[in-house]
Amino acid sequence: MLTIAMQILCASVVHRYGVHAAAAESALLATLERFHAESHHPTVVRGGLTPAQYLDVALKTPRFAATLASSALMADGREADARLHWEAYMQREAEASKAAHQAVPATALLGNPDAVHLVGRALGLADEQTDQLIPGIVLTLATGYPHRARHQQHLSLTDILGQITTEELLELLEHAALSAAGLTDDAAAMLQRIQRAAR
């Protein structure tokens, strides 16, 4: 049974996107389940957030709204609309993360292209390869922003990007390079190692 707040949210999705009530309800339950699972992720726990605290923050984010809308459109049989809605959201996120990255001071690692290239070269990446991977890494960090530790809650995304260390960038670049090369098993194994080490 849906709470009054959930019923209001479903009605809003029905009104805004023209989906059937059953599609909105199904999408809401699936989206809540997804975010509930995220709330138990090691990065959330490591950040010092309880599942309830994570959900309180995450359910107010544009990512939650975009996920819910896309899921509702998909459940309503409007796959093309769902894809377009999600792509529009990701484009907005990419633009916001690009602006945040450009605002990182040159004294920080991610604000210094030469320093970033040195990190990439340590992995055997050409400077052009590193340049191609960095925007994706920044976007990944932006979408994972709600996972930030409690002591970082007040920081902007630019601040978070300015705190990336050489070791962290090495791991992020290596993971991104494996993914870009289509080595998904290796990338997944590396991500698991990073997460285990951070627990």
Side-chain angles (χ1 to χ4, degrees):
M1 183 173 163
L2 298 180
T3 66
I4 292 175
M6 291 169 69
Q7 290 173 0
I8 292 170
L9 186 52
C10 281
S12 172
V13 170
V14 168
H15 176 73
R16 184 165 184 186
Y17 300 104
V19 299
H20 292 91
E25 184 176 328
S26 170
L28 177 59
L29 294 174
T31 304
L32 287 172
E33 185 176 315
R34 174 178 172 175
F35 277 72
H36 181 265
E38 282 183 14
S39 74
H40 292 84
H41 193 278
T43 57
V44 175
V45 175
R46 186 176 73 246
L49 297 176
T50 66
Q53 289 169 329
Y54 173 79
L55 287 171
D56 185 53
V57 173
L59 298 185
K60 297 170 187 165
T61 63
R63 186 168 68 91
F64 177 82
T67 302
L68 175 58
S70 294
S71 296
L73 289 165
M74 186 69 76
D76 207 46
R78 295 164 52 189
E79 291 86 0
D81 289 341
R83 188 183 74 254
L84 288 172
H85 187 82
W86 184 256
E87 287 173 356
Y89 161 72
M90 289 304 296
Q91 182 63 37
R92 291 191 301 273
E93 287 293 294
E95 289 168 3
S97 63
K98 181 180 179 182
H101 185 209
Q102 289 172 339
V104 173
T107 53
L109 176 60
L110 274 179
N112 184 337
D114 292 334
V116 169
H117 289 158
L118 282 175
V119 174
R121 287 181 208 143
L123 293 171
L125 299 173
D127 293 350
E128 297 77 22
Q129 289 175 288
T130 301
D131 290 339
Q132 290 169 359
L133 294 174
I134 291 296
I137 288 172
V138 172
L139 181 57
T140 297
L141 293 170
T143 56
Y145 189 48
H147 293 182
R148 66 197 186 281
R150 187 177 292 136
H151 71 278
Q152 296 177 323
Q153 290 284 322
H154 66 289
L155 299 178
S156 69
L157 178 58
T158 298
D159 294 332
I160 296 291
L161 296 175
Q163 294 182 1
I164 296 297
T165 66
T166 300
E167 182 180 275
E168 289 168 334
L169 185 56
L170 268 168
E171 291 178 334
L172 292 167
L173 272 173
E174 185 174 358
H175 179 261
L178 290 170
S179 296
L183 302 171
T184 53
D185 290 344
D186 291 340
M190 181 180 180
L191 183 59
Q192 287 178 347
R193 284 195 306 275
I194 292 169
Q195 290 171 347
R196 277 196 303 270
R199 287 181 188 173

